[in-house]
Amino acid sequence: PRRCKPICLLLPLSLLLSSPSAATTIVAVRYGRGSSSGVVVGADTRTSSGGYVSNRFAAKLTFVLDGEADAFVQPLEKSEDWTEQHAADASSSASSTCCVCRSGSAADTQALADAVRTDLLHRHLSKNRPGTVTAATRLLQNMVRSDPDLSASLICAGYDHVRKRSCIYSISPGGTAMEEATYAVQGSGSGYIYGYLEAGIQGDDGVNGGVGKDKDGSKSKVEAWTEDEAVEFVARVVGLAVERDGSSGGFCRLFSIDRCGKKEYTRVLHR
């Protein structure tokens, strides 16, 4: 019988040496206002190594703060900088929920998210200080800035129980962190959807079925959006990016985050 060649001999050397990359589309959009506000994060699920799709169901939305998962955390003792405000936070059920949307090298971004989650849990255990979205962003920024060889373009989004509102931060590959007022988008598919995002958030006709308009038809900001409208808008944005970007694909995984926690959604994308 004929002997089959090993699959490694059939692949180009550049593909074998390339590491898995999250060439992707990640989006975060705010909705609502103040303590009733929230944020919807979405991403495709394709991970590739060069031109080879290594994973069609990758999870690119990693939670570093999750009230449900972190309920087991019990501080060991009070720290020296213990204050009445910290005691009130510890005795209450208030907690932040933070999601890191990852694009770039899959290995680098996974390591960054794991390191940040470990650091935030350690701070909570040792000093009884629950983590916040802002604290997670600062940790990510310092890690990315300290290692120029990292390939990571991130979005840090969620509900901050200290600031009592939803927050979105974008972190560039060089380590620059910026808070975004309404939305953030990163990844290889981001260039195809900026115009649609701007038009949809401003409430222009023909975009998202009129989402973002007041009853009188005048333009309004994202404060007028509901959770369902924001979810459908982000799903449509990711779908448009997948149609044009060859590095994005799979299906769309979404999370809605507010002061009560998170909800997961999925949408099937058609190319």
Side-chain angles (χ1 to χ4, degrees):
R2 297 181 59 184
R3 299 181 62 182
C4 297
K5 295 182 179 180
I7 190 172
C8 61
L9 299 180
L10 303 178
L11 299 176
L13 181 60
S14 59
L15 179 58
L16 294 174
L17 297 179
S18 61
S19 59
S21 174
T24 180
T25 302
I26 52 177
V27 183
V29 174
R30 288 185 61 190
Y31 67 90
R33 177 183 299 176
S35 60
S36 62
S37 65
V39 59
V40 175
V41 294
D44 71 303
T45 60
R46 172 178 291 180
T47 298
S48 57
S49 297
Y52 173 72
V53 178
S54 58
N55 189 351
R56 295 182 296 149
F57 310 104
K60 303 176 183 180
L61 306 176
T62 304
F63 280 85
V64 295
L65 288 173
D66 188 348
E68 297 178 0
D70 299 342
F72 69 92
V73 177
Q74 296 294 332
L76 299 178
E77 59 184 6
K78 296 181 180 180
S79 60
E80 296 180 357
D81 57 350
W82 179 268
T83 63
E84 293 182 359
Q85 180 62 39
H86 294 155
D89 291 342
S91 61
S92 68
S93 58
S95 61
S96 297
T97 303
C98 179
C99 177
V100 176
C101 310
R102 304 181 292 106
S103 68
S105 169
D108 290 347
T109 56
Q110 286 176 0
L112 287 170
D114 290 343
V116 169
R117 174 161 175 77
T118 301
D119 195 296
L120 292 172
L121 285 176
H122 179 268
R123 177 188 299 188
H124 195 176
L125 283 169
S126 61
K127 298 185 178 181
N128 200 9
R129 300 186 63 178
T132 63
V133 180
T134 303
T137 302
R138 291 303 182 190
L139 289 172
L140 284 170
Q141 180 187 20
N142 292 336
M143 292 178 182
V144 174
R145 183 184 298 170
S146 62
D147 191 349
D149 295 330
L150 290 175
S151 176
S153 184
L154 310 169
I155 297 175
C156 195
Y159 186 88
D160 195 308
H161 76 281
V162 173
R163 306 183 69 179
K164 299 186 184 305
R165 63 176 177 86
S166 57
C167 302
I168 299 176
Y169 295 91
S170 60
I171 305 174
S172 67
T176 301
M178 298 182 62
E179 183 174 6
E180 307 293 349
T182 54
Y183 74 91
V185 58
Q186 300 275 16
S188 58
S190 61
Y192 301 100
I193 54 178
Y194 268 110
Y196 188 87
L197 271 167
E198 290 286 349
I201 288 175
Q202 293 174 3
D204 291 348
D205 289 331
V207 176
N208 202 30
V211 169
K213 283 181 172 293
D214 292 328
K215 293 181 180 180
D216 60 358
S218 61
K219 292 184 179 179
S220 63
K221 297 182 180 180
V222 294
E223 284 84 353
W225 291 14
T226 64
E227 177 183 343
D228 293 338
E229 289 171 335
V231 168
E232 294 305 320
F233 178 71
V234 173
R236 186 174 290 108
V237 166
V238 175
L240 291 173
V242 168
E243 290 182 1
R244 294 293 182 180
D245 180 31
S247 298
S248 301
F251 61 93
C252 180
R253 181 179 282 111
L254 307 105
F255 284 94
S256 174
I257 306 170
D258 57 17
R259 61 184 177 182
C260 298
K262 69 180 190 295
K263 297 178 184 177
E264 184 176 6
Y265 302 86
T266 56
R267 294 291 186 273
V268 178
L269 304 177
H270 302 283
R271 300 198 69 153

